[in-house]
Amino acid sequence: MQHVIIGAGPAGVIAAETLRKLAPRSDIALISDEPEPPYSRMAIPYYLVDHIAEVGTYLRKRDHWYADQRIELVNDRVASIDAHGHSLGLSSGHSRGYDRLLIATGSSAIKPPIEGVNLPGVHNCWTLEDARHIIERAQPDSSVILMGAGFIGCIILEALASRGVKLTVIEMEDRMVPRMMNDRSGGLIKKWCEAKGVEVLTSTRVNGISEDGHGRLGVNLGMGDTRPADLVIAATGVKPNTSFLSGSGIEVDGGVVVDHRLRTSAPDVYAAGDVARGKDFSTRSFTVQAIQPTAVEHGRVAATNMVNGLEIVHQGCLNMNVLDTMGLVSSSFGDWEGVDGGDCAELFDGDRYRYINLQFEDDVLVGANTLGMTQHIGILRGLIQTRVRLGASGKRALMANPLNITEAYLKATQGTTSSM
Amino acid sequence: MMKSLLIEASKCTGCLQCEMACSYENEGVFNPARSRIKVFTFHSEGRFVPYTCTQCEDAWCMQACPVDAIVINAQTGSKDVLEDICVGCKVCTIACPFGTVNYNQDSGKVIKCDLCGGDPQCVAACPTAAITYVDADATGLSRMRDWAAKTDNAAAPH
Ligand SMILES: Cc1cc2nc3c(=O)[nH]c(=O)nc-3n(C[C@H](O)[C@H](O)[C@H](O)COP(=O)(O)OP(=O)(O)OC[C@H]3O[C@@H](n4cnc5c(N)ncnc54)[C@H](O)[C@@H]3O)c2cc1C
């Protein structure tokens, strides 16, 4: 059996390893267009601050890992898919057949449609190649403007600040991480950053970027406000890498359309990770989540389904994030904005930068946020994803003190008298 | 035969010797706040529940790690954090449905139970044998394992 995987990010690598375990005799090829060995975008911020070298970002560290696993690594770009003929056209001019195919091509960062976004010195922060450009320009005391304070923007914010640059963050919406935290907690993150010397402009739009003829950039914020910059970073969103699928007949709508088994509309073709419009555990609808845990889960589920005789029906991935903004740790899980008719327990301590928000449907936890907490937060995932009933008293205890999540978990899962 | 921790909460008196031993062994200080095993107190019932990593099969922490910093210890079966490879991204801390991988702000890395390499100090310190280190099959860990399996309803077998 020829298994071919397009894309060597976390989804592709986990899928290849899962296939190797479940189908020991099959051929497995992992095709990626990036020149580096498979690496993790998530590790880029730590490379930016020099905590790790480039090899520190690699998904697998052991020597000869892929060869030992008999996973063939191919450095090429898939230009087209002939779904009827079960074959791929590669940019190098070669073609390649498959029995089962996994599309794990991830997403790419986009730049906003404004003047000057393609000037030298304007970069995304998505690939190792981007990171090298950023390191070159983000020298101590240089001026850096970061467009976008969403999840990715906030993640790289700390790395930039600790390179000793003068940093300004510009966000169109009225708060930081608007899709992960509500206005109270998002407001605390902003206050925290400002206290650390980062200028944060929310509800602000970049109108265009210019260059003064000597390599210095100017970022136009309207009303005559133009900021000088040595480097502008666009963290303004991503889009799934699906352009090579045009003409293949494989259905794309926002991301590659998949069913509960992560099958695409073409026979023997599956999709996983940032490129796939998979099922969301909370909303039960299909959407692109674009997070690492989902890429990993998808990779495992899709690979299992690619093996004859095995089948996993995918119930949906829980949307969850953890974010460290200059030392302030926040997290979000599931339906953190709450559900109709549900209840909410909240604790807000602005002076100490602490916050927790729990959302219930009946006596089941369905969503949560934390700020300033690092202990036992994984239990929130466990409580949400097992849909465990807390019981009236369990829920009452959490409504009274939402910090007691571990106690609630132990009660709900271990009864009150028995041992572990 | 791999061994694992058997925790019998009914025998626990809440003395916190396990937390002391754990923090001393792993962090070099007697400080319950830095222990990998935690004792939870249910005041109204006068009950104590020691709680730590079950070294679960599925090892969500290990799968979610983006840089291969969590590995299986071949001797003990524990899932160990390689400190020099961990970048401190914390994805494992939200992926673990038990909440037993935690971020340590001082070191900028995550910490979790590694069974002290096969000689768990919490066991040695427990005066009432509420924590013992026994053949994996004998432990009542199946309940926690069930919990792990339930979390996997992201991928329930058909
Ligand atoms: C700076 C940064 C920080 C992040 N931090 C977090 C975080 O803290 N938590 C979190 O959950 N997520 C985070 N993410 C997001 C996370 O990295 C992605 O969700 C994850 O990488 C998705 O994995 P994937 O395998 O689906 O895609 P990718 O990792 O994007 O891999 C896809 C690969 O396929 C290749 N490819 C694309 N098209 C083709 C083609 N036609 N032919 C051949 N190869 C192709 C791509 O070049 C790429 O190498 C972060 C991302 C960035 C950039």
Side-chain angles (χ1 to χ4, degrees):
Chain A
M1 179 76 77
Q2 295 274 351
H3 289 293
V4 176
I5 299 167
I6 318 174
V13 167
I14 292 279
E17 292 171 353
T18 307
L19 280 169
R20 178 47 72 229
K21 249 186 261 158
L22 299 177
R25 289 203 307 275
S26 64
D27 293 317
I28 302 169
L30 192 51
I31 306 177
S32 182
D33 60 358
E34 288 193 78
E36 299 85 5
Y39 71 92
S40 184
R41 307 201 184 292
M42 272 198 67
I44 287 175
Y46 308 93
Y47 170 57
L48 285 180
V49 290
D50 246 5
H51 284 179
I52 51 172
E54 266 197 42
V55 294
T57 68
Y58 295 172
L59 275 156
R60 295 294 174 257
K61 303 286 193 296
R62 285 152 276 190
D63 288 342
H64 318 298
W65 171 252
Y66 299 98
D68 290 349
Q69 295 284 307
R70 284 178 296 119
I71 295 168
E72 182 195 356
L73 289 180
V74 182
N75 186 206
D76 209 329
R77 200 186 108 79
V78 175
S80 62
I81 298 182
D82 172 3
H84 289 293
H86 279 61
S87 84
L88 307 175
L90 304 177
S91 290
S92 61
H94 295 99
S95 65
R96 183 162 191 134
Y98 64 82
D99 295 310
R100 301 272 151 78
L101 178 69
L102 179 66
I103 300 169
T105 49
S107 44
S108 299
I110 52 176
K111 286 180 176 173
I114 52 173
E115 210 185 311
V117 283
N118 293 320
L119 283 168
V122 184
H123 294 284
N124 291 123
C125 182
W126 194 251
T127 60
L128 272 176
E129 160 106 32
D130 292 336
R132 288 179 211 119
H133 290 302
I134 290 171
I135 288 171
E136 209 175 283
R137 289 205 174 224
Q139 295 299 328
D141 295 322
S142 60
S143 297
V144 177
I145 292 187
L146 173 61
M147 294 191 281
F151 181 58
I152 301 291
C154 280
I155 281 186
I156 57 179
L157 190 156
E158 168 164 24
L160 291 170
S162 50
R163 290 188 65 84
V165 306
K166 290 196 251 5
L167 182 62
T168 302
V169 183
I170 298 170
E171 167 61 44
M172 241 161 51
E173 294 198 41
D174 63 356
R175 63 176 189 269
M176 296 175 84
V177 273
R179 271 169 294 282
M180 178 179 156
M181 302 299 280
N182 61 16
D183 48 354
R184 291 185 98 187
S185 43
L188 274 187
I189 296 178
K190 179 177 176 184
K191 201 172 129 204
W192 175 274
C193 291
E194 287 170 341
K196 301 236 165 196
V198 175
E199 183 182 23
V200 184
L201 306 174
T202 45
S203 304
T204 304
R205 202 178 264 277
V206 174
N207 292 335
I209 305 167
S210 55
E211 197 258 337
D212 67 359
H214 306 284
R216 201 101 208 274
L217 299 165
V219 175
N220 174 4
L221 303 180
M223 313 251 276
D225 186 357
T226 296
R227 306 286 177 105
D230 303 292
L231 168 67
V232 177
I233 297 173
T236 46
V238 297
K239 67 163 196 324
N241 292 324
T242 56
S243 58
F244 72 106
L245 295 175
S246 65
S248 70
I250 295 171
E251 196 185 340
V252 175
D253 180 8
V256 176
V257 173
V258 292
D259 66 8
H260 287 84
R261 290 167 182 78
L262 295 175
R263 294 180 300 202
T264 70
S265 62
D268 301 319
V269 183
Y270 298 72
D274 275 14
V275 76
R277 209 188 65 170
K279 192 173 180 186
D280 183 287
F281 174 83
S282 303
T283 63
R284 296 181 167 88
S285 59
F286 287 79
T287 160
V288 174
Q289 285 177 338
I291 52 170
Q292 164 91 10
T294 295
V296 168
E297 183 91 52
H298 275 184
R300 188 168 63 86
V301 171
T304 307
N305 287 330
M306 286 165 76
V307 176
N308 282 337
L310 296 180
E311 191 173 54
I312 294 179
V313 181
H314 177 59
Q315 305 291 303
C317 289
L318 183 66
N319 206 349
M320 55 185 177
N321 283 306
V322 60
L323 174 66
D324 190 335
T325 320
M326 309 184 81
L328 184 59
V329 179
S330 55
S331 73
S332 71
F333 298 86
D335 268 325
W336 58 269
E337 290 179 285
V339 292
D340 283 346
D343 293 308
C344 162
E346 221 182 359
L347 210 65
F348 183 87
D349 184 350
D351 294 337
R352 291 173 58 221
Y353 290 95
R354 275 171 78 84
Y355 175 72
I356 185 165
N357 154 43
L358 303 180
Q359 297 288 345
F360 303 91
E361 182 170 21
D362 207 354
D363 64 344
V364 176
L365 189 72
V366 293
N369 290 120
T370 65
L371 188 83
M373 285 172 65
T374 54
Q375 301 302 299
H376 306 294
I377 53 176
I379 280 182
L380 293 167
R381 177 200 181 172
L383 286 171
I384 295 169
Q385 212 164 355
T386 52
R387 294 199 171 106
V388 65
R389 299 200 83 97
L390 297 163
S393 72
K395 180 178 170 188
R396 212 177 311 120
L398 277 180
M399 295 291 286
N401 185 355
L403 292 174
N404 286 345
I405 49 174
T406 313
E407 287 80 351
Y409 155 75
L410 289 171
K411 275 201 148 170
T413 56
Q414 299 184 15
T416 45
T417 49
S418 58
S419 65
M420 263 172 81
Chain B
M1 165 69 69
M2 293 279 181
K3 294 169 88 177
S4 55
L5 292 176
L6 170 63
I7 296 179
E8 292 169 274
S10 57
K11 294 186 185 169
C12 176
T13 59
C15 72
L16 305 191
Q17 289 300 316
C18 55
E19 295 190 358
M20 294 292 215
C22 177
S23 65
Y24 186 68
E25 170 73 16
N26 294 295
E27 305 283 325
V29 287
F30 290 108
N31 181 358
R34 298 177 65 179
S35 171
R36 288 140 208 230
I37 186 164
K38 287 272 172 213
V39 178
F40 287 89
T41 310
F42 292 85
H43 288 292
S44 56
E45 301 157 33
R47 197 167 72 94
F48 306 94
V49 182
Y51 184 62
T52 191
C53 171
T54 61
Q55 315 297 344
C56 68
E57 282 287 310
D58 292 308
W60 310 93
C61 59
M62 191 168 78
Q63 290 189 23
C65 178
V67 293
D68 216 9
I70 304 181
V71 295
I72 301 180
N73 181 318
Q75 257 95 56
T76 64
S78 63
K79 314 299 181 297
D80 296 353
V81 177
L82 303 177
E83 269 234 18
D84 51 339
I85 293 184
C86 172
V87 292
C89 78
K90 310 169 199 67
V91 158
C92 56
T93 73
I94 58 170
C96 168
F98 308 105
T100 52
V101 194
N102 292 307
Y103 181 61
N104 177 352
Q105 221 136 7
D106 296 336
S107 64
K109 317 264 171 182
V110 296
I111 52 179
K112 71 181 286 299
C113 169
D114 61 0
L115 298 173
C116 298
D119 182 16
Q121 291 305 297
C122 53
V123 171
C126 181
T128 60
I131 312 166
T132 47
Y133 191 48
V134 297
D135 287 348
D137 279 354
T139 69
L141 282 178
S142 57
R143 279 222 228 172
M144 273 182 95
R145 296 243 162 90
D146 287 351
W147 171 260
K150 267 208 252 167
T151 307
D152 202 15
N153 66 8
H158 188 50

